[in-house]
Amino acid sequence: MRQHALPRFSVAAALCAALAACAPMGGGVTRVATPMAVDAARAAAVVSAYRAAHGLGPVRVDASLMAVAGAQARAMARADRLDHSVAGSFGARIEAGGVGTSNAVENVAGGYRDLRSVIEGWEASPEHDANLLAPAVTRLGIAAFHSAGSRLDPYWSLDMAR
């Protein structure tokens, strides 16, 4: 009887290890998300300067959009998943935040260590750059949350609207 206990344990352990290796990133575990200090006024100045270089008007910090961006960045950090819908659909989140969906855009990112690098990353991506240069937007909200142990730490969200 004792001879069979070790092989059964080994098979069970090997099966568990194999299944764990197949688990999706994040594994469904909710992580601790901690806010990262982001200078929103600086973000607005950098985005406004970039927009001005392309003949567009400035953006200003908006408290409602700050809340929307914060909720999205926090949800991504907690889920350890870069995804526009992790906190609900963009339209529903914008409306719930008291912001009209007309001319609203969102950029998300993960793994950028500071404000300058995340904005440069968005500028280098055609889809994200188009959002930065959306002609009708005048307000923004930005946030970042740490997700300890994540390869995408920190998670960022930038929301802009008219």
Side-chain angles (χ1 to χ4, degrees):
M1 181 86 158
R2 195 158 177 97
Q3 291 177 334
H4 299 287
L6 185 55
R8 277 190 220 145
F9 174 75
S10 297
V11 171
L15 182 58
C16 287
L19 290 174
C22 294
M25 189 169 152
V29 174
T30 301
R31 292 181 179 265
V32 173
T34 55
M36 178 175 148
V38 177
D39 185 343
R42 177 76 183 130
V46 170
V47 171
S48 291
Y50 183 67
R51 290 171 57 81
H54 290 85
L56 298 169
V59 293
R60 62 180 168 75
V61 177
D62 178 83
S64 296
L65 288 168
M66 289 295 293
V68 171
Q72 175 65 13
R74 180 176 181 267
M76 290 188 301
R78 288 177 50 89
D80 193 18
R81 192 171 82 225
L82 187 62
D83 184 344
H84 284 280
S85 62
V86 72
S89 76
F90 177 61
R93 290 185 290 109
I94 286 289
E95 283 190 21
V99 180
T101 58
S102 173
N103 300 305
V105 297
E106 176 176 75
N107 286 350
V108 297
Y112 292 93
R113 297 291 173 215
D114 58 45
L115 179 65
R116 174 45 84 186
S117 64
V118 74
I119 291 176
E120 287 174 355
W122 287 327
E123 290 171 357
S125 163
E127 295 85 6
H128 295 99
D129 190 54
N131 286 345
L132 290 173
L133 299 175
V137 301
T138 58
R139 303 174 292 146
L140 72 68
I142 188 167
F145 272 77
H146 288 291
S147 180
S150 170
R151 69 179 178 82
L152 292 177
D153 179 58
Y155 285 89
W156 294 82
S157 180
L158 170 72
D159 293 276
M160 299 193 304
R162 182 189 323 214

